[in-house]
Amino acid sequence: MKDKNTVIERLKKANFKLTPQRMAIIETLIGNKTHPSADAIYDKIKKKFPMISYSTIYNTLRILIDLGELRELSIKENKINYDPNTEPHHHFLCEKCNRIIDIFQEINFKSEHINTHKIRNYEIYFYGICSDCLKRIK
Amino acid sequence: MKDKNTVIERLKKANFKLTPQRMAIIETLIGNKTHPSADAIYDKIKKKFPMISYSTIYNTLRILIDLGELRELSIKENKINYDPNTEPHHHFLCEKCNRIIDIFQEINFKSEHINTHKIRNYEIYFYGICSDCLKRIK
DNA sequence: TTATTAATTAAAAATTATTCTTAATTAAAA
DNA sequence: TTTTAATTAAGAATAATTTTTAATTAATAA
């Protein structure tokens, strides 16, 4: 999800309607680096659309994922977090402040196979204490 | 979780009781390379203990995790899979047969920090088609 | 511009996985 | 043995997500 117009064009091309609710969800996601969960998105959208329902949130998120414009993270147990940045990168979960932080540092791994299994995708989840929390503890 | 006696010793040392239900759960897990979910374990234990309840399963799994004898995987969405092999290794989820396969191949990553964030642990999840399914497709 | 229609919505019920509560049971210590 | 503190089974509670359905609405065609 780079910019609103590109996402809108892709939705149109795939014959999805551009409802105000969807537009609001897209606007909340574009450039969002907080990796929100569905309920964080719901809470934000509810300010503009007090009648919004979770089905609308989940339906829109599903569409964006299927279009490849949104990425699901399983870095927290039993909870999905969403990342509108679909460029290859990894994630760090701070166990103190609970933030999910993008890791753009390249990990030396490029091959298309591992042990003869064909890789379509891979995720690296780091767990620890982020630099801000480390400072705070000192 | 290497062998039963070591796990039993560790449970004793930590003042946990060695109930038959717990022993059965441990026996199911030792050497188990299938990465079972709680309900797969429940189904198996139920054959021996038809009255077993999920709370016993989850309680025992929690103890083993806290003792460092069991590892939780978040490779599948909204589901926890358990791995009794606590040696460092990674996992591959086959999107065809849905199996979770151990990856012992070393990934070049050793540092204690990433971008000044302190790493306590990290997980690598690969997604794709396993070699068995690749053969079957050909 | 209006009518049509097919997609989308909100609401609520259902589902799934896990956790919590409670009273009864049992393993281990005294 | 008796005691007691941990553990159990059962089921209720919780949390996240999905499904169902009838009403609404966006986009297309008349």
Side-chain angles (χ1 to χ4, degrees):
Chain A
M1 255 173 130
K2 285 192 176 56
D3 66 297
K4 205 159 83 172
N5 290 339
T6 314
V7 179
I8 288 173
E9 278 316 306
R10 297 212 57 202
L11 280 168
K12 271 190 189 170
K13 218 169 249 170
N15 286 313
F16 289 110
K17 291 187 178 172
L18 304 171
T19 66
Q21 293 93 330
R22 279 183 185 161
M23 296 304 289
I25 294 168
I26 290 164
E27 279 162 23
T28 289
L29 287 172
I30 290 262
N32 188 325
K33 292 183 169 54
T34 67
H35 312 89
S37 59
D39 78 281
I41 297 165
Y42 174 82
D43 287 346
K44 208 156 173 209
I45 301 297
K46 208 162 56 173
K47 288 177 189 160
K48 216 176 174 180
F49 294 88
M51 306 302 276
I52 194 91
S53 108
Y54 271 104
S55 39
T56 304
I57 304 285
Y58 280 109
N59 166 310
T60 302
L61 294 174
R62 176 61 40 212
I63 289 167
L64 293 170
I65 287 157
D66 290 349
L67 290 176
E69 295 286 342
L70 188 64
R71 186 171 159 187
E72 293 178 291
L73 306 180
S74 293
I75 195 167
K76 293 186 183 181
E77 247 170 46
N78 302 319
K79 204 173 177 67
I80 303 170
N81 288 270
Y82 297 90
D83 190 346
N85 183 346
T86 51
E87 297 297 307
H89 66 286
H90 307 297
H91 295 91
F92 182 99
L93 175 63
C94 177
E95 291 165 336
K96 263 260 177 295
C97 68
N98 215 31
R99 273 190 310 158
I100 298 168
I101 299 166
D102 289 314
I103 302 292
F104 293 100
Q105 186 178 311
E106 190 138 346
I107 310 299
N108 281 3
F109 185 80
K110 276 285 151 56
S111 147
E112 303 233 315
H113 287 79
I114 191 152
N115 296 349
T116 69
H117 307 304
K118 190 172 187 192
I119 300 166
R120 179 191 55 77
N121 188 26
Y122 71 101
E123 298 276 353
I124 306 185
Y125 297 134
F126 295 93
Y127 298 86
I129 311 290
C130 75
S131 52
D132 287 356
C133 286
L134 286 172
K135 272 183 233 155
R136 219 169 290 135
I137 289 164
K138 265 198 305 201
Chain B
M1 258 173 128
K2 284 193 176 54
D3 66 296
K4 206 160 82 173
N5 290 338
T6 314
V7 178
I8 288 172
E9 278 317 305
R10 297 212 58 201
L11 280 167
K12 271 190 186 168
K13 217 168 248 167
N15 286 313
F16 290 110
K17 292 187 177 171
L18 302 171
T19 66
Q21 293 91 332
R22 278 184 186 161
M23 295 304 289
I25 294 168
I26 290 165
E27 279 162 21
T28 290
L29 287 171
I30 291 262
N32 188 324
K33 292 183 169 57
T34 66
H35 312 89
S37 58
D39 79 281
I41 297 166
Y42 174 82
D43 286 347
K44 208 155 173 210
I45 301 297
K46 208 163 54 175
K47 288 175 188 162
K48 216 177 176 181
F49 294 88
M51 308 300 277
I52 195 90
S53 107
Y54 271 105
S55 36
T56 304
I57 304 286
Y58 280 110
N59 167 309
T60 302
L61 295 174
R62 175 60 41 212
I63 289 167
L64 293 170
I65 287 157
D66 290 349
L67 289 176
E69 295 286 342
L70 188 64
R71 186 169 158 188
E72 293 178 291
L73 306 180
S74 292
I75 194 166
K76 293 187 183 180
E77 248 170 48
N78 300 319
K79 202 170 180 69
I80 302 171
N81 288 270
Y82 298 90
D83 189 346
N85 184 346
T86 50
E87 296 298 307
H89 65 286
H90 308 296
H91 295 91
F92 182 98
L93 174 64
C94 177
E95 292 165 336
K96 262 261 178 294
C97 67
N98 215 31
R99 274 190 309 158
I100 298 169
I101 298 165
D102 288 316
I103 302 293
F104 293 101
Q105 186 177 310
E106 189 140 345
I107 309 301
N108 283 2
F109 186 80
K110 276 285 151 55
S111 149
E112 303 235 316
H113 288 79
I114 191 153
N115 296 350
T116 70
H117 308 304
K118 190 172 187 192
I119 299 166
R120 178 191 58 74
N121 188 27
Y122 71 101
E123 297 278 353
I124 307 184
Y125 296 134
F126 295 93
Y127 299 87
I129 310 290
C130 76
S131 52
D132 287 356
C133 286
L134 285 173
K135 271 183 233 155
R136 217 168 291 134
I137 289 164
K138 261 197 305 201

